[in-house]
Amino acid sequence: QDAVCNPFPCQHSSRWAHRARVEAMPNYSGGFHYDPKAGYLCTCLRYRHTVIEHVFGRVTFWIFVVMHLLVKVAFVQGYLTTGKLNQSGDLEINPALYVNWSEMGIVSAITTFFEVFYTNECFKRYTHLYDTTRDILGVSYEYVMEMRLVLGPDNHNYIRLAARYLMAAVMLFFYEMDDEVKAHEWEQLLRLGLIKPEEKAALMNLLPPERTMILVEWSGAVICLGHEKAVKNNKCPPNLRKSLLDKLWKFRHLQQVVKDVEGLPVPFQYFHLLKMMIVVNVALWAYNFGCSNSILYTVIFFFTSAIFMGMMELASDLSDPFGDDEVDFPVGSWLTAWMTMMMTLMETKFPGGEDNWEALLASETGIDRNLIGIDIFTDCGFADSPSRKNNRALRASSSDEEIALKLDDGAWGSSSDEDSESRTRR
């Protein structure tokens, strides 16, 4: 598969430059990070990291394949036929065992509609949970940044304590996805310093849904105390406390949304009915495709059934993204990157911030506008607009003084009737 998908790359190939960028991009969705520009055949021939692996691991699929082969053998041996030939030259099926293709198409159409609807609902649920879960981590970044800006460096311990409670709330939220926090997970919180032994004892006396709420409340109480001190000592505006607390309420709301969506899957009655329709439909395919002398019908049945059942497998995986399936969210990687970023936001010192930016403000100068438009982003692997291509050709054949003269004269893509304001802006 790798030989099919990875021909020898050319050193200056834009395709392989694109692939290098794809592999370097962070994969926030988990699973296999694929190249959307890969060829049709190399994508179809891939077996690993596909839903086909799950289908072939199902005993039900092979039962249907065996059923189809038995029907095929029975048909060829004449057990399902009258011994006569029909108008197309094939053996005529016994009328008592005949299934009309047009009538079976109605069943297939209804099943396809139900399956597509179910897959669509599972994917919408999947993307909604993804967006909300990422927002939970994102709002914690905003909370820490705003605390540092509002409370200032004199109240840094308040920031650390409030952030620690919020980080513990995030960790417990994900630990409680399987209803209970395990002993080694409590030990991990203690080892990371997110909770103290006395705090652990207090939290363990609460129900799982209450723990994250209490930690959010503790964080809010600490930030209120820190804000009062900042108002008193640093003349911090009193109304900024509301913005900080709004971040906490948004954090709590996002956690509640994830729990509510997780607790409301597609009703089992619909799921049961869909499974039954798929079984009936594939069984009819196994029979009708078997009632033919053509071997191609066996190939068609094999791949059609695999695709049909594979879509159901994919939808089932998408319905619960907090697990260990390949399409599930990489929560472990998310939390590692999130905790690193939280520590960076809390503890990083601003270069030049020791004297309230006085030295940097005194030495600050404007950006040279003559640099804008001269070879910007032309060698970064992005698509070139016509003006960028002209700019690069101009740069390659001219000195900086000639470029300036040509720009002033309108030689770089400017028309003769272009006004002076547009020429100056270009």
Side-chain angles (χ1 to χ4, degrees):
Q1 292 173 353
D2 292 336
V4 172
C5 299
N6 302 331
F8 293 106
C10 176
Q11 185 176 1
H12 303 288
S13 172
S14 60
R15 171 181 174 82
W16 288 95
H18 165 77
R19 179 164 184 172
R21 287 199 305 274
V22 168
E23 293 176 351
M25 291 172 58
N27 184 12
Y28 291 114
S29 61
F32 178 65
H33 200 174
Y34 63 94
D35 182 2
K37 292 190 176 181
Y40 293 97
L41 283 179
C42 75
T43 302
C44 292
L45 293 176
R46 181 172 289 278
Y47 176 74
R48 295 188 58 201
H49 308 290
T50 67
V51 75
I52 302 300
E53 284 185 292
H54 298 271
V55 175
F56 288 173
R58 291 281 189 179
V59 177
T60 307
F61 174 76
W62 298 109
I63 290 177
F64 284 129
V65 171
V66 171
M67 173 183 172
H68 167 77
L69 295 176
L70 291 176
V71 172
K72 172 73 74 174
V73 171
F75 178 82
V76 172
Q77 295 296 324
Y79 295 109
L80 304 178
T81 64
T82 59
K84 301 178 182 179
L85 298 178
N86 55 21
Q87 296 179 351
S88 60
D90 294 330
L91 290 172
E92 188 177 274
I93 302 176
N94 191 328
L97 303 174
Y98 176 71
V99 178
N100 191 298
W101 273 106
S102 60
E103 295 173 355
M104 201 185 80
I106 298 176
V107 178
S108 298
I110 295 175
T111 306
T112 302
F113 172 78
F114 270 71
E115 187 172 14
V116 169
F117 176 80
Y118 176 73
T119 304
N120 184 51
E121 289 300 310
C122 290
F123 184 71
K124 288 195 296 185
R125 169 190 170 92
Y126 181 85
T127 55
H128 182 45
L129 286 172
Y130 175 86
D131 293 337
T132 309
T133 306
R134 295 296 301 174
D135 285 342
I136 289 175
L137 304 181
V139 75
S140 62
Y141 298 151
E142 300 172 9
Y143 183 60
V144 171
M145 287 189 287
E146 189 166 347
M147 281 194 296
R148 291 197 68 175
L149 295 174
V150 171
L151 301 187
D154 296 336
N155 301 303
H156 199 67
N157 281 339
Y158 287 94
I159 299 172
R160 286 171 172 167
L161 183 57
R164 179 168 71 82
Y165 285 146
L166 188 73
M167 293 168 71
V170 171
M171 298 292 287
L172 277 176
F173 171 75
F174 287 106
Y175 287 159
E176 291 170 354
M177 283 294 179
D178 54 356
D179 297 330
E180 189 53 53
V181 184
K182 301 177 178 61
H184 73 274
E185 293 171 340
W186 283 112
E187 291 301 320
Q188 187 177 37
L189 291 175
L190 290 170
R191 186 175 64 256
L192 291 172
L194 295 181
I195 61 173
K196 306 294 184 183
E198 59 273 15
E199 294 167 349
K200 174 189 172 183
L203 292 172
M204 290 189 69
N205 291 328
L206 302 174
L207 296 174
E210 300 172 343
R211 294 167 184 164
T212 54
M213 295 284 289
I214 289 298
L215 285 167
V216 170
E217 185 180 359
W218 290 354
S219 181
V222 171
I223 208 61
C224 287
L225 292 175
H227 179 261
E228 290 177 6
K229 187 176 178 180
V231 170
K232 181 179 179 181
N233 298 338
N234 302 340
K235 297 182 180 180
C236 175
N239 59 347
L240 291 181
R241 183 172 71 175
K242 180 180 183 301
S243 178
L244 287 169
L245 294 179
D246 284 344
K247 298 289 189 303
L248 281 180
W249 309 152
K250 181 180 179 181
F251 175 84
R252 188 216 64 81
H253 171 71
L254 291 171
Q255 285 190 332
Q256 189 63 48
V257 169
V258 172
K259 290 181 179 179
D260 291 344
V261 174
E262 273 285 285
L264 186 64
V266 175
F268 174 74
Q269 288 76 8
Y270 185 96
F271 179 78
H272 172 262
L273 184 62
L274 177 58
K275 285 276 190 175
M276 186 165 60
M277 293 175 68
I278 291 176
V279 168
V280 172
N281 189 77
V282 176
L284 288 175
W285 283 352
Y287 177 80
N288 248 23
F289 279 122
C291 294
S292 172
N293 290 321
S294 175
I295 290 225
L296 290 179
Y297 277 124
T298 299
V299 178
I300 294 172
F301 167 76
F302 184 85
F303 286 103
T304 305
S305 302
I307 294 172
F308 212 65
M309 297 177 69
M311 185 177 292
M312 189 64 187
E313 292 288 333
L314 177 61
S316 300
D317 289 344
L318 294 177
S319 63
D320 183 16
F322 297 102
D324 55 0
D325 294 325
E326 193 159 12
V327 297
D328 289 341
F329 300 153
V331 176
S333 300
W334 286 0
L335 291 180
T336 302
W338 164 79
M339 185 168 291
T340 303
M341 180 62 73
M342 290 288 284
M343 298 304 298
T344 301
L345 294 175
M346 276 194 296
E347 304 299 337
T348 300
K349 303 295 183 182
F350 302 129
E354 295 81 3
D355 58 349
N356 291 327
W357 315 96
E358 293 295 337
L360 288 178
L361 289 171
S363 62
E364 189 68 18
T365 59
I367 299 175
D368 187 1
R369 64 179 298 170
N370 293 324
L371 298 176
I372 302 175
I374 305 299
D375 282 346
I376 294 181
F377 300 124
T378 54
D379 296 319
C380 297
F382 297 105
D384 283 345
S385 64
S387 61
R388 284 178 181 164
K389 293 178 180 178
N390 295 337
N391 183 14
R392 182 156 48 183
L394 176 64
R395 179 77 177 204
S397 61
S398 306
S399 64
D400 291 343
E401 292 78 7
E402 292 173 340
I403 291 173
L405 291 175
K406 290 180 180 180
L407 289 176
D408 290 339
D409 294 338
W412 181 50
S414 301
S415 60
S416 59
D417 59 345
E418 190 176 26
D419 57 18
S420 59
E421 182 180 354
S422 298
R423 187 183 302 113
T424 302
R425 182 164 58 250
R426 174 164 293 178

